[in-house]
Amino acid sequence: MNSAAVTRTSPHRALLNALGLTNEEMERPLIGIVSSKNDIVPGHMNLDKIVDAVKLGVAMAGGTPLVFPAIAVCDGLAMGHQGMKYSLVTRELIADSTEAMTLAHAFDALVMVPNCDKNVPGLLMAAARLNIPTIFVSGGPMLAGKVDGHKISFSNVSEAVAEFQAGKITKEKLLEYENKGCPTCGSCSGMYTANSMNCLTEVLGMGLKGNGTIPAVYSARIQLAKHAGMQIMELLKKNIRPRDIMTKEAFDNALTLDMALGCSTNSMLHLPAIAHECGIELNLDIANDISDKTPNLCHLAPAGHNFIEELDEAGGIYAVMNELNKLGLVNTDLLTCSGKTVGENIAGCVNKNPEIIRPVENPYSKTGGIAVLKGNLAPDSCVVKRSAVAPEMLKHQGPARVFDCEEDAMEAINSGKIVPGDVVVIRYEGPKGGPGMREMLNPTSAIMGRGLGESVALITDGRFSGATRGAAIGHVSPEAAVGGNIALLEEGDIIQIDIMANTINFAISDAELEKRRAAWKPRKPRITSGYLARYAALVTSGNRGAILEYK
């Protein structure tokens, strides 16, 4: 180091001395490890082990690892109360704080260690924004529980509550579900939001093979973390950056795998938000085009009775990609964090279990697991997990039962006021109106637990947990709080849903619609101070990924 450089950096080196770093460590690249470890999120209790393995891998490959934190909210623990307003909004806090820490301390590269619903997309957004060499390694999925010889997951526990309230099971059986539903650490064992995003991180090329599927408690997860730590040094050496990897074509691959896997509808919020940070506008209009040509190959919980651990045993995400590649649906020329192309990564990754990953010749359906609907109820769009909808509910017509918050809807469902044929509408729960776009796992679980899943639909400008199943249609845009047509619905209006035709409408004349619009007045904000008030002032509707706009 020349004398000018020494003079310029001596104060910085003095502070690094205070950390106990040696001169040798200071001369190596400084690798930031962003750890989402905390003691309240079950998916994160093992991240200290993952971080230690990453640190070892970085050091083995010649880097100096330095850890700093990212926050994370457990959606399951936040569900059904005020806390859920703070779930989606943490995505922006995670991205912003990671940006601040990284640029303030001039890290050369990053290893992201997330696991759950919002910190995976939040850190992907940060990676795209910062655009320095970055790799991801998640904490991994939870193993499934077991009751009466059948595997279960978190969604079964939620539905068991409604079954108990309806007198279908005993308190002792409910407690058995409670005690056995979540048997290990990790992100909940089905294709819920956390696992959806960890799998799609692998598809986007930002995580190594197995990132989305190796169970949290397997030693292979520790080995994966060591390899990620070593591989970040290769990415730094070759100056491979997130925007070199997360291209428009990579997002097309992600949407394609989303359809094949039957991921959480929350992916339709997060992928556009991540793409936006890459400078790519991901219009959800293309989702149906991709879905039309992409077969649904997996029915993982809550859509079916298979779990992430079984997807891993069947060959994982690369095996699904290789299966789709038989139809030419995967762009194989794209660069990934392995330093290899998608095609090189998936070569030889065979489908080991055609019951878990259906061959393309025998799919669950010829179209994808998620559908984007439009109509006069959702002029900009709304989203449904089509693969988790009962066949008889793919086309449904019924009277609107209108509620202006989740709590009022829950009271009606639990008191037996919702009957077969109804369409439950929960509005003013969107990004601005909530604020925070709460998940509606409790209402959907109550509907399923009461045996109404094959006769009642639920529509909201809020969103759904990845654990939700049934005719649950969310992200209605524009949302009620900005005067979207969902705000103009009245009790008893006939709603017409045709999921296969991608339409959602309510029977109303243009004249009546305009009359109601003229009479509509914005609601007073529910929250007027703190972070949620600032968030509500800046956030867009769900069809744009609930991104923040500063204009």
Side-chain angles (χ1 to χ4, degrees), residues 163-174:
E163 291 178 30
F164 169 69
Q165 291 174 335
K168 295 184 176 182
I169 61 172
T170 64
K171 182 178 180 181
E172 290 71 26
K173 180 58 69 176
L174 174 59

Side-chain angles (χ1 to χ4, degrees), residues 135-199:
I135 196 169
F136 278 67
V137 56
S138 76
M142 183 184 291
L143 294 179
K146 187 173 285 188
V147 168
D148 298 331
H150 300 287
K151 287 185 176 181
I152 66 164
S153 60
F154 178 71
S155 59
N156 298 101
V157 183
S158 297
E159 292 179 15
V161 172
E163 291 178 30
F164 169 69
Q165 291 174 335
K168 295 184 176 182
I169 61 172
T170 64
K171 182 178 180 181
E172 290 71 26
K173 180 58 69 176
L174 174 59
L175 289 175
E176 185 178 4
Y177 274 95
E178 176 185 320
N179 291 326
K180 295 181 179 179
C182 299
T184 72
C185 64
S187 45
C188 293
S189 55
M191 189 56 82
Y192 308 152
T193 305
N195 289 326
S196 293
M197 293 311 302
N198 282 324
C199 289

Side-chain angles (χ1 to χ4, degrees), residues 162 165-166 401 403 406-419 422 424-426 440-452 456-458:
Q165 291 174 335
R401 305 298 309 279
F403 305 94
E406 177 187 1
E407 289 80 2
D408 289 351
M410 281 297 296
E411 191 281 328
I413 297 167
N414 287 333
S415 61
K417 295 176 183 176
I418 302 302
V419 299
D422 283 348
V424 176
V425 177
I426 307 176
M440 304 292 163
L441 178 59
N442 285 355
T444 55
S445 295
I447 287 170
M448 298 303 297
R450 288 180 170 270
L452 298 172
V456 170
L458 193 155

Side-chain angles (χ1 to χ4, degrees), residues 94-163:
I94 292 161
D96 291 350
S97 60
T98 302
E99 173 193 353
M101 286 293 291
T102 301
L103 295 181
H105 301 104
F107 287 108
D108 295 294
L110 297 172
V111 182
M112 307 293 201
V113 188
N115 209 32
C116 287
D117 297 40
K118 307 309 164 306
N119 65 318
V120 178
L123 290 178
L124 282 165
M125 290 164 66
R129 187 185 302 174
L130 291 162
N131 203 35
I132 63 174
T134 303
I135 196 169
F136 278 67
V137 56
S138 76
M142 183 184 291
L143 294 179
K146 187 173 285 188
V147 168
D148 298 331
H150 300 287
K151 287 185 176 181
I152 66 164
S153 60
F154 178 71
S155 59
N156 298 101
V157 183
S158 297
E159 292 179 15
V161 172
E163 291 178 30

Side-chain angles (χ1 to χ4, degrees), residues 376-529:
N376 67 0
L377 183 51
D380 287 343
S381 72
C382 56
V383 178
V384 63
K385 189 169 183 174
R386 179 164 52 195
S387 59
V389 178
E392 51 267 56
M393 290 298 293
L394 291 171
K395 191 171 184 177
H396 180 74
Q397 176 172 300
R401 305 298 309 279
V402 182
F403 305 94
D404 287 349
C405 66
E406 177 187 1
E407 289 80 2
D408 289 351
M410 281 297 296
E411 191 281 328
I413 297 167
N414 287 333
S415 61
K417 295 176 183 176
I418 302 302
V419 299
D422 283 348
V423 180
V424 176
V425 177
I426 307 176
R427 61 189 181 186
Y428 293 98
E429 290 284 10
K432 283 185 181 293
M437 205 178 186
R438 288 196 286 181
E439 288 186 343
M440 304 292 163
L441 178 59
N442 285 355
T444 55
S445 295
I447 287 170
M448 298 303 297
R450 288 180 170 270
L452 298 172
E454 296 176 357
S455 60
V456 170
L458 193 155
I459 298 170
T460 182
D461 53 7
R463 60 195 180 93
F464 294 108
S465 166
T468 287
R469 63 190 178 104
I473 300 167
H475 310 186
V476 170
S477 302
E479 62 172 295
V482 299
N485 286 354
I486 189 172
L488 309 181
L489 272 172
E490 294 183 357
E491 186 81 7
D493 283 346
I494 299 301
I495 295 177
Q496 301 155 337
I497 302 165
D498 191 336
I499 293 174
M500 298 310 295
N502 306 120
T503 61
I504 183 166
N505 293 286
F506 64 115
I508 188 172
S509 69
D510 291 343
E512 176 63 19
L513 187 62
E514 289 310 310
K515 178 182 174 182
R516 293 185 190 180
R517 189 180 307 284
W520 179 82
K521 294 181 180 179
R523 301 288 181 93
K524 181 181 177 180
R526 286 172 171 155
I527 295 176
T528 57
S529 63

